[in-house]
Amino acid sequence: MSLDALVAYVVERLPELWLRTGEHLMLTGCSTLGAMFIGIPVGILLFRTTWLRGPLMGVIGILQTIPSLAMLVFLLALLKKIGVLPALIALTLYALLPIARNTLTGLEEVSAEVMEAAEGIGMQEYQQLMMVRIPLAAPMIVAGIRTAAVVGVGIATLSAFIGAGGLGQFINRGLALANIKLILLGAIPAALLALAVDFSIGAFEWGLRPERKRDKKGSVQSLMRRLAFMLPVVLVLISIITYLTKPGWISKSATQLKTGHRIIRIATKNFTEQLILGEMMAQLIETKTDLIVERRFNLGGTMICHGALVNGEIDLYAEYTGTGLTAILKHPVISDPEEALNHVTKAYHERFDAQWLKPFGFNNTYAITVREADAKKNKWNRISDLGNTAIELRAGFTAEFAERPDGYPGLRQIYGLRFGEVRDFDAALMYEAVAKGQVDVICAFATDGRIAAYNLKPLKDDRNFFPPYHAAPVIREEILKTHPKLGDVLSLFGGLIDNATMQRLNFEVDGKKRRTSEVVEEFLKAKGIF
Amino acid sequence: MIKLTRVSKTFDGGRSYAVKDLSLSVDRGKTLVLLGSSGCGKTTTLKMINRLIKPTKGIIEVGGKDVTDHNPVDLRRQIGYVFQGIGLFPHMTIKQNVEIVPRLLGWPTHSRRERMQELLNLVGLPAESFAERFPDELSGGQQQRVGVARALAANPAYLLMDEPFGALDALTREALQQQLLTLKNQLKKTIVFVTHDLHEALLIGDRIAILHEGNLEQIGTKKDILDTPATKFVQDLFTIKRPDTLT
């Protein structure tokens, strides 16, 4: 990629980069400030109440060890909300430990001699704290804030999983689309941001050092000291400005929302096909209705999308019959596609006030897939053909497949298959791994473009084990009632996309690295829908 | 006047005494030196006077009033304290250190400023060149003078000095001792001065109290102690260490 192309790539995405950077700064800044307002008083409280120290520091320490993603999902379940709020709470909880701990340590480390002097000359207890102990602990406290803020910049990238935006949005999307450029578009600014935060708070800390205080007035050093104190303030101001001036075209929602429910919020999970379907529904609605679409794409999985739909945080996303049946309704597999669709339609209407619309047509079921060459050599056509040779094969599965009842556990039961080794892979990396011979078998998605592109062969499910996974728009009934036209518009998709078409569309994006919106627009035009 | 009546202090529930059954008094405007080796209870005695330590038994009066009737914070603000380890606040300038007690007492800024300048000049550290500096920019001797200035700032009637010159080199120590003598005569404070240095005790004290393992061995003027030592301990102290110049 030439430099020009690279610059063009970034320039083209500059408005969104601006928006995401603003969101990222807001998330990190607010959570760090929040943690300061809680953590410093907590540190002081712990310093004064010895018996609370063990239990409370223990609790804060445990919070810190919860994996970030688990924390986000947990808060999501607790608050029944996606977006900024759970992200902010999670980030604040993570920032608490370094701040509270450093406050406590800093207060403890003030020399006993100085404190005896403070008491001996007649300071009240609060005066001893405010005039002597806290000022002397300040460098340590600031060091804690610095750690918290820098770590916060990193963790904030995960907020995109629950629709809170931030630079993680690029990383997330990049991972979903196996697009390194997109990943870097998020990762590099995030790293730079971390460095900037580290430097500015570090400078503040430098300025606080006792030896800095004796720099002569008017000397270069004392000027630098003043600058050092201003740096974090400048950073906060830049954050606020960046956030407030973020380009409006991505989030026009805010103002529109007040003037009536003219917004439709579309979500997707975090893989290519979902992004394509989401974009397709979005473009269709934008062209055929006067509704405004808010794209809340790339949420971190089925449960997050479903939870958001049920809580009314989003209005519409594409779900698969098999997923709805087994993962959401916890129902045993139904092999007949028609029957499966009827069942989820009925159950969603009764339990979630949500409506399944006409399926797109393709069936994105799991497909046990091997290299074409291996299949020819060993005469593998059906899954049963693997038989006893399975024990010599290495399998690469997504984490979800490894655990789902309609995944590997069921596969073992129905076909009696035991693979020699099973490794967990990100969905995007699984195909590379099998193509490069790192594993021999994968749980491909039937519509993935890379099956054809990498010369892979899906084996026939001769015992009808995998449930049908027909994708269909799932929409909140409330929205459907307010905008009855939506149902008609979305039913234009009914049976429009077969497996081969979906494979091709996926490959346009995954393999050829084209932009989703462009691929979708081209497809809709070709189908005569625009 | 400061007066201790049968004061005892134990830190271990009575197994041993840091100070045992101690009675002594300091007349107004006079200086009493508490002399003894480390662990003899002299610092404990000093800290009991301004209620940094609570006595196990006995009565302590400052200015004719039991200290337990004073609010400890108010009491301490009336008593200047020069600490063993100097104890200046490292994050405050010399000016802020000296002004701290007047500030706690709510003096207006200009009186605080005047007092600070007056005191720094008094201890030989001209305000123009020292006020804005920080403690760690000063030598040990200069810091200790700031410590004295801080203790004097609110013009207290009483001054407690805990081995103030202990950590200094001999030359500096001697200079400061001479300065203290001058100050003492100028200011007419009631002073309790703790030291383990015989020479210093004889030089500064109007009266000297010799403590040994929590007990008072003898209290009296320089002459009393040198001429008629009350116990064998006092006698040994001076026969071994007595420099000829002192007689």
Side-chain angles (χ1 to χ4, degrees):
Chain A
M1 191 180 195
S2 75
L3 190 67
D4 282 356
L6 191 71
V7 169
Y9 185 84
V10 174
V11 165
E12 188 186 357
R13 285 162 180 78
L14 212 51
E16 195 183 357
L17 185 63
W18 186 330
L19 168 76
R20 300 306 171 202
T21 308
E23 287 171 343
H24 206 93
L25 284 166
M26 189 277 293
L27 284 169
T28 317
C30 290
S31 61
T32 308
L33 282 176
M36 277 164 63
F37 277 110
I38 305 169
I40 295 175
V42 163
I44 295 170
L45 178 78
L46 288 181
F47 172 75
R48 296 177 57 106
T49 11
T50 326
W51 62 269
L52 251 178
R53 245 175 247 186
L56 206 55
M57 282 315 275
V59 169
I60 299 178
I62 289 168
L63 283 179
Q64 190 87 355
T65 63
I66 301 175
S68 345
L69 210 50
M71 170 95 94
L72 287 172
V73 173
F74 173 73
L75 283 169
L76 205 63
L78 200 71
L79 296 169
K80 304 202 184 305
K81 247 179 160 356
I82 54 167
V84 174
L85 188 69
L88 272 182
I89 293 177
L91 289 171
T92 307
L93 289 177
Y94 280 116
L96 266 183
L97 181 70
I99 295 179
R101 190 183 45 205
N102 276 40
T103 305
L104 177 62
T105 313
L107 293 174
E108 279 177 332
E109 278 180 357
V110 175
S111 89
E113 204 172 76
V114 169
M115 289 322 298
E116 185 177 54
E119 191 185 357
I121 64 165
M123 283 191 187
Q124 306 273 17
E125 252 184 86
Y126 76 90
Q127 290 170 327
Q128 292 169 34
L129 192 67
M130 302 307 292
M131 297 171 84
V132 183
R133 211 181 268 277
I134 291 178
L136 287 174
M140 192 77 177
I141 298 174
V142 173
I145 296 170
R146 182 181 179 188
T147 311
V150 173
V151 172
V153 173
I155 301 182
T157 54
L158 293 172
S159 312
F161 271 112
I162 53 169
L167 288 165
Q169 192 102 350
F170 289 117
I171 300 177
N172 228 345
R173 209 182 304 158
L175 284 171
L177 302 173
N179 182 337
I180 292 175
K181 272 187 286 174
L182 262 180
I183 296 176
L184 292 180
L185 193 64
I188 292 174
L192 293 178
L193 221 55
L195 288 175
V197 168
D198 189 47
F199 179 78
S200 67
I201 308 182
F204 191 89
E205 222 182 306
W206 173 83
L208 269 185
R209 283 197 214 153
E211 70 262 27
R212 289 274 76 76
K213 286 186 186 160
R214 53 172 189 254
D215 295 333
K216 291 279 166 299
K217 265 190 192 146
S219 71
V220 181
Q221 240 97 9
S222 87
L223 198 71
M224 273 171 59
R225 180 163 177 256
R226 263 197 242 167
L227 283 177
F229 282 141
M230 273 157 56
L231 266 182
V233 179
V234 170
L235 195 71
V236 169
L237 283 179
I238 291 178
S239 308
I240 295 172
I241 292 168
T242 313
Y243 186 68
L244 292 180
T245 57
K246 69 187 174 185
W249 56 271
I250 291 174
S251 57
K252 356 182 173 178
S253 58
T255 47
Q256 294 289 343
L257 205 60
K258 288 170 199 147
T259 60
H261 291 281
R262 309 252 333 283
I263 302 281
I264 174 141
R265 294 160 299 174
I266 304 180
T268 74
K269 305 179 200 182
N270 51 356
F271 53 92
T272 309
E273 182 172 294
Q274 278 278 321
L275 294 170
I276 293 173
L277 294 178
E279 182 62 28
M280 223 178 253
M281 295 189 286
Q283 288 195 14
L284 186 72
I285 293 169
E286 279 169 342
T287 336
K288 300 277 180 186
T289 72
D290 55 357
L291 293 171
I292 289 158
V293 173
E294 185 183 338
R295 291 167 170 79
R296 308 193 78 167
F297 287 6
N298 253 306
L299 300 184
T302 300
M303 292 330 273
I304 295 179
C305 285
H306 176 71
L309 186 82
V310 172
N311 294 323
E313 300 259 333
I314 59 168
D315 303 311
L316 170 67
Y317 80 104
E319 188 52 281
Y320 303 88
T321 48
T323 311
L325 199 63
T326 57
I328 307 240
L329 298 170
K330 314 283 181 215
H331 191 277
V333 170
I334 298 175
S335 314
D336 181 59
E338 199 81 16
E339 206 182 313
L341 179 65
N342 287 340
H343 186 93
V344 290
T345 306
K346 190 161 170 283
Y348 267 59
H349 170 66
E350 283 166 4
R351 288 174 54 182
F352 307 131
D353 294 323
Q355 191 67 47
W356 283 71
L357 303 176
K358 273 190 199 160
F360 292 96
F362 61 89
N363 177 14
N364 186 8
T365 187
Y366 287 115
I368 294 302
T369 299
V370 297
R371 283 179 293 274
E372 181 110 53
D374 288 0
K376 250 186 209 143
K377 197 170 70 186
N378 299 303
K379 300 203 167 47
W380 290 333
N381 284 309
R382 308 165 305 163
I383 299 179
S384 307
D385 294 340
L386 291 176
N388 292 333
T389 49
I391 198 75
E392 292 156 29
L393 302 176
R394 295 159 301 165
F397 294 151
T398 61
E400 208 175 339
F401 184 83
E403 284 301 321
R404 278 163 72 139
D406 58 339
Y408 187 44
L411 196 69
R412 279 199 304 210
Q413 221 177 354
I414 302 293
Y415 284 94
L417 285 179
R418 292 281 182 286
F419 290 108
E421 187 191 334
V422 175
R423 289 163 69 186
D424 280 12
F425 275 97
D426 181 76
L429 301 175
M430 198 165 60
Y431 300 90
E432 300 264 345
V434 70
K436 286 185 181 155
Q438 289 163 337
V439 295
D440 307 306
V441 181
I442 59 169
C443 60
F445 296 102
T447 53
D448 198 291
R450 284 167 289 198
I451 293 177
Y454 291 171
N455 291 323
L456 304 177
K457 180 174 174 63
L459 300 175
K460 192 171 171 352
D461 178 17
D462 50 323
R463 292 186 189 168
N464 283 325
F465 164 64
F466 291 119
Y469 283 90
H470 288 90
V474 177
I475 188 165
R476 290 200 305 130
E477 285 171 359
E478 195 189 329
I479 286 290
L480 214 49
K481 258 179 234 150
T482 336
H483 309 290
K485 217 185 138 201
L486 264 181
D488 303 339
V489 169
L490 286 168
S491 64
L492 285 176
F493 285 131
L496 189 72
I497 309 168
D498 61 12
N499 271 30
T501 311
M502 197 63 235
Q503 274 192 16
R504 187 179 59 76
L505 292 175
N506 279 331
F507 191 69
E508 290 292 320
V509 176
D510 259 350
K512 296 190 185 162
K513 306 290 176 208
R514 294 182 57 198
R515 298 191 85 172
T516 318
S517 52
E518 196 180 292
V519 172
V520 164
E521 197 180 329
E522 193 179 281
F523 170 77
L524 291 176
K525 273 187 185 145
K527 287 283 175 183
I529 284 177
F530 280 8
Chain B
M1 197 183 91
I2 295 173
K3 190 175 175 201
L4 281 70
T5 314
R6 308 201 64 179
V7 171
S8 295
K9 177 66 192 179
T10 173
F11 290 102
D12 52 13
R15 248 168 294 146
S16 67
Y17 279 85
V19 173
K20 196 164 184 194
D21 211 15
L22 178 68
S23 297
L24 53 79
S25 64
V26 195
D27 290 333
R28 190 164 164 185
K30 296 292 180 194
T31 300
L32 174 73
V33 172
L34 297 182
L35 175 68
S37 49
S38 56
C40 73
K42 52 195 195 301
T43 295
T44 307
T45 307
L46 209 61
K47 287 182 180 169
M48 285 191 293
I49 295 174
N50 81 341
R51 294 188 65 182
L52 279 174
I53 294 177
K54 188 174 178 289
T56 314
K57 265 196 291 192
I59 295 166
I60 299 171
E61 291 159 273
V62 172
K65 193 173 160 192
D66 191 328
V67 289
T68 53
D69 293 340
H70 287 272
N71 172 311
V73 170
D74 294 339
L75 177 75
R76 289 171 195 147
R77 289 175 187 178
Q78 292 166 30
I79 301 176
Y81 203 122
V82 184
F83 296 87
Q84 189 165 16
I86 306 175
L88 294 182
F89 301 121
H91 60 298
M92 297 183 188
T93 58
I94 301 308
K95 179 177 96 181
Q96 291 168 321
N97 265 289
V98 174
E99 286 185 13
I100 188 82
V101 182
R103 191 171 138 208
L104 294 175
L105 288 168
W107 290 19
T109 318
H110 65 93
S111 349
R112 265 162 33 195
R113 195 104 332 148
E114 265 171 39
R115 183 68 180 152
M116 179 270 298
Q117 283 163 349
E118 182 188 345
L119 280 169
L120 283 183
N121 293 332
L122 186 70
V123 298
L125 301 171
E128 313 80 72
S129 43
F130 284 92
E132 297 299 334
R133 296 214 214 164
F134 282 86
D136 63 350
E137 294 175 81
L138 271 56
S139 70
Q142 290 170 331
Q143 289 186 35
Q144 197 51 276
R145 289 187 224 192
V146 176
V148 173
R150 181 177 68 180
L152 291 171
N155 206 7
Y158 308 94
L159 202 56
L160 306 180
M161 305 181 82
D162 189 1
E163 300 211 31
F165 310 138
L168 305 176
D169 63 88
L171 272 176
T172 317
R173 185 162 62 226
E174 203 158 323
L176 284 181
Q177 286 164 348
Q178 289 304 331
Q179 204 174 5
L180 180 67
L181 278 178
T182 327
L183 277 179
K184 183 174 97 126
N185 296 331
Q186 273 178 4
L187 300 171
K188 304 280 182 233
K189 303 280 179 201
T190 307
I191 300 174
V192 181
F193 188 105
V194 162
T195 183
H196 63 267
D197 181 334
L198 208 58
H199 175 84
E200 189 168 77
L202 296 172
L203 183 71
I204 287 167
D206 295 318
R207 289 204 307 156
I208 298 162
I210 297 164
L211 295 175
H212 179 57
E213 290 174 353
N215 294 303
L216 179 64
E217 298 283 336
Q218 185 172 3
I219 182 164
T221 61
K222 180 162 90 178
K223 191 168 181 310
D224 296 338
I225 288 170
L226 290 175
D227 293 350
T228 52
T231 65
K232 179 145 193 320
F233 178 80
V234 178
Q235 190 171 19
D236 289 351
L237 195 68
F238 285 92
T239 43
I240 297 164
K241 291 198 176 165
R242 180 173 176 179
D244 292 331
T245 49
L246 283 178
T247 46

